Amino acid sequence: MGKSLAQITAEFAPIPGLCLGAELLCGIIELCENITTNKHEVRQLRDRCHHLLLTAKESEERNVSGGIKNALQSINDCLTDVKTKMHGWTMLSKTQAFLRQAEIKLDIERSHAAISDCLTKFQIISQVEINQWQEEFAMNVKLDHQEIIEYLSEIANQQEILRLTMDGTHDSVKQVKQMMEMFQSTMNENKHVADRTHVGLSSNLYQLQFQSNEILPDLHLNSGEVQRIGQFPVSGTAAMDIYEGLYLGREKVAIKVVRAVNSNESSLRRFRREVKVWAEIWRLDRGKHVLPFYGFCQNDGPFPYMVSPWQPNGNALSYVKTYDHKVNYRQMIKGIALGLKVLHDMEPPVVHGDIKAANIVIDNFGHPLLADFGLSQIVEDITGIPFTQSRGVSDSYRWFAPEVCVGEGRLSIMSDIYAYAMTVLEVLTHQQPYRNIKHTTEVVIKSSLGQSPARPMEPEVVRRGLDDSLWALLNKCWSLEASKRPTIYQIIELLPS
Ligand SMILES: *[C@@H]1O[C@H](CO)[C@@H](O)[C@H](O)[C@H]1NC(C)=O
Ligand SMILES: *[C@@H]1O[C@H](CO)[C@@H](O)[C@H](O)[C@H]1NC(C)=O
Ligand SMILES: *[C@@H]1O[C@H](CO)[C@@H](O)[C@H](O)[C@H]1NC(C)=O
């Protein structure tokens, strides 16, 4: 209202009963200068506190409704409460204030209600005044929100956002998550991906994710976090088409469209359940042995898709073929086992279900990462058909344990072990298991009779590491009786470093 504190003190001095109120108001006006969020809302609250005192003064001067006597206590209580709350808000760091703006807004609304109660005591509050502050408040909420969007989407604020959010306190991780949540919900309000606001939000959010090494709190990516590049898939497997995508406007990603599954309520539920597992695996592994999921999308096309970082080195099979002499095979075999250990370590264990070289990608350092874990379970759950019997999966029969190919076709950690050993053979020979057998049906028959693949004797396969002890280990993994197979922990013990 443009008055100095001295002027305000003088304004109420003639009425001794309002001295305390005037003092509180001065405190509120000072505090108001130090507020970092909800500025418009807070200023309005300050001004209405002033209005309350002016009304009290006028009422006393005109001796209406018995003056201020009856209302004095309520007025002082109300102003004290506002001042205390406001003091609390100024004590918050900028990040904390940001993260608690909804709470602050609610507090402000409650304070307004208390002021209205005081005004009622003078019997002069009118519906007009109530409507007026509410209208004004709604406008201020919008203005404050707009300021937040502008702040979050401004690239020039990136360093400050990172510094304030990852401040090294014990709350840091929680803060990062909450800030990311705010980014995602803001993006959801500004979905137009070409929009400057969306671009800025994406960019700042990407930096936050990259620098904090966390994944997004809401893995249902329905706010334009991912854009498809190109109309056609760049590759695919039996169950999936793979498209290129751009994640948060920055990083190239693989978009994996699950063809066996329609986007609908039940698939959404299933994904939501799965997401907890993804996040937990990420927390434990940080992308060292298992390719992370960045999220899934349900409302972009008829089929849901999953999003993973793009791995330019391709899958394990093409990699060993291209870089045969550069590859450390022992390390690769061990790396794959360590990835499987991450999954089997979970409580309950996560069954991969489709381990083979095509489902293992190679990171920038040449290390293998297990991809698409748990996908088999998702498909099974949503379609109600065992994964092993679903469309196009017969490609994988050469890696499947015999108990998987018959009857119910239950996948288990034991069938993962069987497939792991087939994958080791595949990586060492550069060829699919049972390479001399053309028909998959024949492979299924052979494996169900306990006839494991013939031992390859080529010198290059031996050079890559297939010695007697590894061969013996692989054969144990191929035991017809699942319970006789070693666990992943035993395998890791036995593998040479
Ligand atoms: C506002 O912030 C300044 C600088 O941090 C500080 O010196 C001042 O005491 C604060 N004012 C109030 C009323 O807390
Ligand atoms: C104020 O009004 C009350 C009655 O409403 C009356 O008793 C009192 O004398 C008045 N006081 C003054 C200062 O006029
Ligand atoms: C959802 O899709 C799955 C297969 O993709 C189907 O089995 C199921 O019946 C669908 N549910 C609804 C409610 O449409």
Side-chain angles (χ1 to χ4, degrees):
M1 293 192 176
K3 282 188 181 151
S4 71
L5 298 183
Q7 283 170 320
I8 287 174
T9 310
E11 188 175 20
F12 295 104
I15 299 165
L18 290 179
C19 275
L20 178 57
E23 203 180 296
L24 290 166
L25 177 62
C26 288
I28 288 170
I29 291 168
E30 276 184 311
L31 284 168
C32 201
E33 297 306 311
N34 285 5
I35 294 283
T36 48
T37 55
N38 304 73
K39 280 187 202 152
H40 294 86
E41 295 156 44
V42 171
R43 280 186 212 131
Q44 184 195 354
L45 180 60
R46 170 200 68 189
D47 292 348
R48 197 154 177 253
C49 288
H50 195 175
H51 170 72
L52 172 63
L53 276 189
L54 286 175
T55 308
K57 181 178 176 227
E58 200 180 326
S59 150
E60 179 71 5
E61 282 164 354
R62 290 211 259 125
N63 197 17
V64 287
S65 322
I68 53 172
K69 283 185 288 300
N70 299 331
L72 210 50
Q73 189 62 42
S74 323
I75 291 174
N76 289 341
D77 286 351
C78 178
L79 294 178
T80 304
D81 187 55
V82 170
K83 191 179 160 202
T84 309
K85 279 182 185 156
M86 218 180 258
H87 179 69
W89 303 332
T90 62
M91 298 308 285
L92 297 173
S93 72
K94 189 164 175 174
T95 326
Q96 288 168 333
F98 245 81
L99 296 173
R100 293 169 68 172
Q101 50 183 300
E103 215 177 296
I104 295 175
K105 171 177 168 256
L106 206 65
D107 270 348
I108 294 174
E109 269 182 297
R110 291 206 187 102
S111 297
H112 275 294
I115 293 174
S116 297
D117 282 349
C118 290
L119 290 171
T120 311
K121 294 211 157 64
F122 302 117
Q123 293 168 351
I124 48 129
I125 187 160
S126 63
Q127 196 54 44
V128 174
E129 203 270 349
I130 290 186
N131 289 348
Q132 200 185 336
W133 83 254
Q134 284 175 342
E135 248 170 56
E136 220 174 284
F137 185 67
M139 207 178 64
N140 285 324
V141 168
K142 263 192 202 148
L143 288 173
D144 284 333
H145 189 63
Q146 194 53 40
E147 259 180 25
I148 297 268
I149 294 174
E150 272 159 29
Y151 179 81
L152 291 177
S153 63
E154 177 53 60
I155 308 274
N157 293 334
Q158 198 167 82
Q159 288 313 313
E160 187 182 62
I161 292 171
L162 294 180
R163 186 167 48 77
L164 291 176
T165 313
M166 300 188 291
D167 57 4
T169 60
H170 66 285
D171 270 351
S172 226
V173 173
K174 197 172 132 208
Q175 248 171 223
V176 167
K177 289 272 175 197
Q178 290 174 332
M179 190 61 99
M180 285 175 156
E181 247 168 42
M182 190 173 299
F183 268 104
Q184 280 188 286
S185 71
T186 312
M187 281 169 76
N188 198 273
E189 298 163 23
N190 299 273
K191 269 193 187 168
H192 205 294
V193 292
D195 202 74
R196 192 174 156 273
T197 306
H198 192 95
V199 171
L201 289 168
S202 296
S203 178
N204 287 346
L205 176 56
Y206 182 75
Q207 281 308 319
L208 189 55
Q209 167 162 9
F210 186 75
Q211 299 290 340
S212 67
N213 200 24
E214 294 293 335
I215 51 177
L216 296 183
D218 187 359
L219 293 182
H220 188 189
L221 308 176
N222 62 353
S223 306
E225 291 92 340
V226 187
Q227 290 164 257
R228 243 186 250 227
I229 303 172
Q231 213 181 336
F232 302 105
V234 289
S235 66
T237 65
M240 293 187 308
D241 286 325
I242 300 177
Y243 293 80
E244 283 178 26
L246 193 62
Y247 179 68
L248 294 176
R250 282 300 189 84
E251 186 180 324
K252 191 168 163 185
V253 287
I255 291 181
K256 298 168 183 177
V257 179
V258 190
R259 261 185 278 115
V261 170
N262 291 319
S263 289
N264 62 26
E265 274 306 308
S266 70
S267 60
L268 181 63
R269 256 201 316 278
R270 188 59 185 84
F271 275 110
R272 285 215 181 282
R273 216 167 350 129
E274 199 61 25
V275 154
K276 293 204 185 80
V277 179
W278 297 352
E280 181 65 9
I281 288 177
W282 168 255
R283 202 178 63 73
L284 295 170
D285 183 58
R286 301 276 160 184
K288 249 165 77 192
H289 302 296
V290 178
L291 182 70
F293 283 116
Y294 279 169
F296 72 98
C297 186
Q298 164 89 6
N299 52 8
D300 177 14
F303 305 114
Y305 62 67
M306 292 175 287
V307 180
S308 289
W310 187 268
Q311 299 300 331
N313 280 326
N315 72 42
L317 188 59
S318 62
Y319 186 78
V320 292
K321 282 183 178 170
T322 314
Y323 300 107
D324 185 28
H325 286 278
K326 230 182 78 182
V327 171
N328 182 339
Y329 282 90
R330 287 191 171 85
Q331 210 174 48
M332 179 166 297
I333 290 166
K334 186 129 188 181
I336 299 169
L338 289 170
L340 197 52
K341 176 174 172 285
V342 172
L343 302 184
H344 288 188
D345 255 348
M346 298 287 292
E347 184 61 53
V350 171
V351 173
H352 186 290
D354 201 11
I355 296 176
K356 53 181 181 176
N359 287 340
I360 294 162
V361 292
I362 306 296
D363 73 10
N364 284 325
F365 309 103
H367 299 149
L369 303 173
L370 291 196
D372 305 329
F373 60 91
L375 178 65
S376 51
Q377 232 71 27
I378 293 182
V379 172
E380 215 170 279
D381 232 52
I382 300 173
T383 60
I385 301 167
F387 174 70
T388 49
Q389 290 164 27
S390 55
R391 201 152 30 106
V393 168
S394 61
D395 276 12
S396 297
Y397 279 10
R398 288 171 188 268
W399 290 261
F400 281 167
E403 74 272 13
V404 170
C405 300
V406 297
E408 275 288 283
R410 279 269 139 240
L411 295 161
S412 65
I413 55 173
M414 280 90 82
S415 62
D416 271 354
I417 297 293
Y418 186 101
Y420 166 74
M422 284 300 172
T423 306
V424 171
L425 182 66
E426 184 190 11
V427 164
L428 294 177
T429 58
H430 298 187
Q431 287 172 301
Q432 57 182 6
Y434 298 97
R435 54 190 173 163
N436 299 322
I437 303 176
K438 205 161 165 199
H439 294 290
T440 312
T441 333
E442 199 182 332
V443 169
V444 173
I445 294 169
K446 264 192 174 304
S447 73
S448 67
L449 294 172
Q451 296 176 14
S452 34
R455 179 169 179 175
M457 300 304 285
E458 299 95 313
E460 67 266 23
V461 179
V462 176
R463 169 183 62 79
R464 290 170 196 148
L466 190 63
D467 54 17
D468 289 347
S469 71
L470 181 58
W471 185 246
L473 178 61
L474 297 184
N475 275 281
K476 258 203 201 135
C477 296
W478 294 325
S479 297
L480 197 51
E481 211 174 306
S483 61
K484 292 228 172 93
R485 295 173 202 152
T487 64
I488 195 62
Y489 311 101
Q490 292 165 334
I491 290 175
I492 288 169
E493 289 263 299
L494 290 169
L495 286 175
S497 304

